[in-house]
Amino acid sequence: MTSIYLDFEKPIAELEKKIEELKTFNLAFNQNNIASIDDEINSLEIKKEKVIREVFKNLTNWQIIQLSRHPLRPYTLDYIELITENFIELHGDRLFMDDRSVIGGFAFIKKNNGNKRSGFQSVLIVGHQKGRTTKEKIYRNFGMPNPEGYRKAQRLFKLAEKYSIPVITFIDTPGAYPGLGAEERGQSEAIASTIYTLSNLKIPVISIVIGEGGSGGALAFGVANRVFMLEYSIYSVISPEGCASILYKDASKTENAANTLKLTAKDLFNYGIIDGIIPEPLGGAHRDKVKISQEIKSIILDAVSELKNLDHETLRAERIKKFLVLDKFND
Amino acid sequence: MSLFRPRSNFKKEQVKSGIPEGLWVKCPICGEIVYKKELERNLDVCPKCNYHFRLNFKKRIDITFDEDSFSPLFEDLKPDDILEFKDTKKYKDRIKEDQEKTGLLDAAVSGTGMIEKIKAAAVIFDFSFMGGSMGRVVGEKITRTFKYGIEHKLPVIIFSSSGGARMQEGIFSLMQMSKTIAIIAEYNRTDLPYISVLTDPTTGGVSASFASIGDVIIAEPKALIGFAGPRVIEKTIHQNLPEGFQRSEYLLDHGMIDMIVERKDMKNMLKNILSIFLNV
């Protein structure tokens, strides 16, 4: 089970620790579990579920933000592993380097019924990738792409278009990397032209915000025919920390900024910015990676089968029209 | 008015709101103290270092379009406080204050005008309205201007001067990046030119959207242009930034813009580019 807990997960942590202890105790004594301990474990499990329900009933925006950045939250590669088969990762932008904060490659998604060749759907998956250990975090640049990440993505989007393969993007970044080299090599242009490429694409594009949707660096992968957010993911023009330090001129006002920014899946769904919310397992995606992957998989397959019958021009036109009126300005 | 006002005050005021009140002005780049009238005669360009001061929309219109040829479009678009946003001040109050200060309803003006007898549609940012930030009104004006260009077969020129997306409109301002690019994707199905003119400053969500995908990208000298602000970058990489970092000249060296054009030559260059692409 999980071993890293957020502050508000602490009550759950205590119960899990107890359950774990009892299980170990049981194992240590014999193969045939002692019935009374089994009962104890069962009642603790029930209690745990109740506590989780209680904790998750009324999450604040700040708690949701913390969940979206939970150190155990599944990342793009986790979903690729759990959702797809035969994933073939493709590297590099053919211009400068391979950006490891962006994963891209082709794979099959097995349809739920039938195991024949026609039971598979080819897809391109492009997503931000964060790291879990310190070493991995550095390797993945904390999920913050340089221009090369966006240029690799564009290359793959066009490749998918050539073969009429639907594009799936996973969004999970604090933002595009604010570095010297990134500026030198045109971070702005990379983001703008990625948005442009996605706007023009004549194949189905489906985006899912799985964690942090940080500003333009996230939007670059978010211009899709269907945009979904996981229940405890966020999507915002600026991080609450950035907002607090710029507008409130006070970094301790992060929670106020989190509330006023309206960046949760529920907020964005109510505003009509996204098409749907993907519900997470009790206690968040990190508590049941298999279950959330199945949810995501079925959302992808449904959206693909809806979009697959539209002709190429319609797919482009529909997406452009969607983004022209998304802000409801003329309503 | 004293020449010896505290240094920090002077600089801040000047960079924020263009030319400050008073007879003398200090250049924020080279520190030269210039007689205001002289600066104005010089198209608000520092005579010593050639820094191009931020222009208000009226002056930009005057120096860009043939006399009395500019007629505004979509003038009645007004911002609203869709998120009911409040930081140290209410967003509503910030809007009201800047509307009174600038005489504008929001940070950009659109319209059509003649450039040496060639008709063009244009969007002009004014930095003095909330830092030229792009919210729903600015995004809508840009979108409608491109639509107008498609319908009336007009080239489009955008003069950017903006800190980026307007935080007070949250996710809605982020979505202006994709909205403005979506309309350019439509516009680019025609054979009409889109010229992007980057002036001081063009950063964040403006730089990372429509401003960076012009058919031709022109910058005024010494304009700050970039995705992330220099202070954010310094904090991230823990190093000092090189001299001239993120200024027009740096972008030209790195292949990010087509050319740097001085204010006094801008109109002529725009005319030359338009006449080649339009074959007139």
Side-chain angles (χ1 to χ4, degrees):
Chain A
M1 207 47 209
T2 61
S3 55
I4 305 169
Y5 297 92
L6 302 172
D7 279 348
F8 66 90
E9 288 181 305
K10 287 282 150 68
I12 308 165
E14 276 162 33
L15 284 167
E16 282 189 334
K17 201 175 151 212
K18 251 189 220 164
I19 292 168
E20 213 46 49
E21 275 168 12
L22 284 174
K23 280 183 178 167
T24 323
F25 180 81
N26 223 351
L27 272 177
F29 270 75
N30 55 23
Q31 309 298 75
N32 316 314
N33 295 354
I34 301 165
S36 61
I37 295 185
D38 277 350
D39 287 347
E40 175 78 15
I41 291 174
N42 282 341
S43 79
L44 280 175
E45 292 278 9
I46 292 166
K47 195 173 167 200
K48 183 181 108 183
E49 199 181 309
K50 229 176 106 186
V51 169
I52 298 180
R53 259 181 227 292
E54 201 54 44
V55 169
F56 276 71
K57 206 166 64 190
N58 287 310
L59 292 175
T60 65
N61 276 11
W62 179 237
Q63 288 171 330
I64 291 173
I65 291 164
Q66 288 174 292
L67 278 172
S68 77
R69 301 167 175 169
H70 198 295
L72 297 168
R73 198 168 173 82
Y75 299 146
T76 294
L77 277 173
D78 299 312
Y79 290 125
I80 288 174
E81 192 192 318
L82 290 164
I83 291 170
T84 73
E85 288 167 47
N86 288 9
F87 178 66
I88 303 166
E89 187 176 358
L90 302 178
H91 293 273
D93 67 346
R94 300 292 186 272
L95 296 163
F96 188 72
M97 68 170 199
D98 185 39
D99 189 330
R100 300 181 196 107
S101 65
V102 173
I103 298 283
F106 291 88
F108 284 127
I109 297 183
K110 195 173 173 182
K111 292 181 187 166
N112 295 332
N113 47 359
N115 49 5
K116 278 180 256 145
R117 180 70 175 75
S118 62
F120 289 91
Q121 172 66 53
S122 318
V123 290
L124 168 70
I125 299 200
V126 168
H128 303 101
Q129 180 65 39
K130 293 179 175 175
R132 232 173 273 286
T133 63
T134 307
K135 207 173 152 189
E136 279 170 10
K137 280 178 184 161
I138 293 166
Y139 185 74
R140 300 292 179 189
N141 201 31
F142 301 84
M144 294 189 284
N146 275 286
E148 293 70 33
Y150 296 109
R151 291 180 183 135
K152 167 164 73 178
Q154 286 182 48
R155 183 173 77 80
L156 299 181
F157 294 153
K158 287 172 190 162
L159 203 53
E161 187 173 47
K162 175 179 170 185
Y163 299 106
S164 293
I165 293 175
V167 174
I168 316 297
T169 65
F170 289 130
I171 294 172
D172 189 15
T173 181
Y177 186 59
L180 198 152
E183 295 291 325
E184 206 171 22
R185 301 190 301 275
Q187 189 71 287
S188 290
E189 190 278 341
I191 293 170
S193 59
T194 307
I195 296 174
Y196 186 78
T197 302
L198 276 183
S199 302
N200 272 320
L201 227 51
K202 292 177 179 170
I203 43 175
V205 184
I206 298 151
S207 290
I208 302 170
V209 185
I210 57 172
E212 276 183 282
S215 195
L219 176 66
F221 291 169
V223 182
N225 298 83
R226 301 283 184 276
V227 182
F228 300 96
M229 285 175 77
L230 295 198
E231 190 177 359
Y232 304 127
S233 67
I234 57 161
Y235 201 175
S236 179
V237 67
I238 187 164
S239 69
E241 289 87 352
C243 182
S245 81
I246 296 171
L247 286 185
Y248 294 81
K249 311 225 185 316
D250 179 356
S252 71
K253 292 280 196 292
T254 300
E255 285 201 56
N256 302 43
N259 288 326
T260 198
L261 273 171
K262 314 251 168 55
L263 40 62
T264 65
K266 215 187 260 172
D267 290 328
L268 268 72
F269 184 71
N270 289 339
Y271 285 133
I273 302 277
I274 58 167
D275 299 292
I277 301 173
I278 304 175
E280 294 191 24
L282 184 64
H286 60 290
R287 293 190 160 269
D288 197 340
K289 292 184 189 189
V290 173
K291 194 172 174 198
I292 187 67
S293 298
Q294 282 162 352
E295 287 282 345
I296 292 175
K297 182 177 162 179
S298 79
I299 289 272
I300 292 173
L301 287 171
D302 287 352
V304 168
S305 71
E306 251 178 67
L307 295 166
K308 237 168 76 171
N309 300 323
L310 301 177
D311 66 77
H312 292 177
E313 276 303 323
T314 309
L315 283 165
R316 175 189 177 276
E318 192 211 44
R319 191 179 323 110
I320 284 188
K321 195 179 160 219
K322 173 187 173 83
F323 279 83
L324 284 177
V325 299
L326 203 59
D327 63 1
K328 314 269 184 303
F329 188 82
N330 291 311
D331 284 9
Chain B
M1 157 98 212
S2 153
L3 278 180
F4 304 102
R5 284 176 31 179
R7 221 187 147 96
S8 56
N9 250 345
F10 215 144
K11 199 166 172 181
K12 200 171 163 193
E13 179 185 315
Q14 211 159 302
V15 172
K16 275 209 169 140
S17 58
I19 311 286
E21 301 298 308
L23 288 176
W24 297 87
V25 195
K26 186 172 168 183
C27 173
I29 299 285
C30 71
E32 178 80 354
I33 294 183
V34 194
Y35 187 44
K36 197 178 165 189
K37 285 248 168 69
E38 191 195 335
L39 190 71
E40 278 170 1
R41 267 198 302 275
N42 203 28
L43 303 174
D44 289 351
V45 174
C46 172
K48 190 176 172 210
C49 77
N50 204 29
Y51 168 67
H52 285 48
F53 281 74
R54 290 165 187 170
L55 274 194
N56 71 38
F57 72 101
K58 281 184 196 138
K59 286 184 180 174
R60 179 69 65 188
I61 290 170
D62 282 350
I63 64 168
T64 307
F65 297 99
D66 301 347
E67 212 178 334
D68 297 328
S69 75
F70 186 82
S71 58
L73 287 167
F74 327 121
E75 269 184 299
D76 52 343
L77 300 185
K78 278 199 288 273
D80 59 0
D81 181 12
I82 189 160
L83 299 187
E84 294 172 0
F85 196 95
K86 184 173 169 283
D87 44 77
T88 51
K89 248 188 225 172
K90 282 186 181 163
Y91 176 41
K92 267 192 197 118
D93 297 338
R94 284 186 194 274
I95 295 175
K96 223 171 130 193
E97 262 173 45
D98 280 13
Q99 284 175 337
E100 279 160 17
K101 186 177 87 186
T102 60
L104 289 165
L105 289 178
D106 209 313
V109 173
S110 32
T112 62
M114 311 293 280
I115 298 173
E116 303 281 357
K117 302 196 180 79
I118 301 174
K119 192 171 180 184
V123 179
I124 295 157
F125 278 72
D126 195 316
F127 192 81
S128 50
F129 192 103
M130 291 192 74
S133 56
M134 172 163 69
R136 295 205 301 165
V137 166
V138 172
E140 178 71 13
K141 276 199 178 181
I142 291 169
T143 305
R144 288 199 197 179
T145 304
F146 277 107
K147 274 189 194 158
Y148 191 91
I150 297 169
E151 278 156 24
H152 296 83
K153 296 188 170 47
L154 290 176
V156 174
I157 306 170
I158 302 185
F159 296 89
S160 299
S161 177
S162 170
R166 187 173 297 169
M167 281 175 277
Q168 290 88 345
E169 291 185 27
I171 194 72
F172 288 95
S173 53
L174 186 68
M175 294 300 147
Q176 301 311 313
M177 293 173 65
S178 41
K179 176 171 172 166
T180 54
I181 291 178
I183 194 64
I184 294 172
E186 285 299 274
Y187 181 81
N188 282 350
R189 295 199 143 185
T190 71
D191 57 359
L192 295 160
Y194 157 41
I195 304 176
S196 174
V197 182
L198 314 179
T199 77
D200 189 46
T202 300
T203 58
V206 165
S207 151
S209 65
F210 64 88
S212 284
I213 55 168
D215 294 345
V216 177
I217 304 177
I218 305 175
E220 286 195 331
K222 295 192 170 143
L224 181 77
I225 302 161
F227 175 66
R231 264 170 315 205
V232 175
I233 299 170
E234 266 179 341
K235 250 174 85 181
T236 309
I237 63 171
H238 308 292
Q239 310 173 28
N240 293 331
L241 297 169
E243 175 89 21
F245 180 65
Q246 293 185 317
R247 296 280 163 187
S248 309
E249 296 72 16
Y250 180 91
L251 272 92
L252 185 70
D253 279 349
H254 287 88
M256 294 303 148
I257 55 174
D258 288 290
M259 62 185 93
I260 295 172
V261 175
E262 294 198 14
R263 205 165 270 169
K264 65 179 166 49
D265 304 321
M266 186 66 80
K267 181 174 184 177
N268 197 39
M269 179 54 79
L270 291 174
K271 182 217 130 194
N272 286 341
I273 295 169
L274 291 179
S275 61
I276 285 181
F277 285 138
L278 297 170
N279 203 10
V280 290

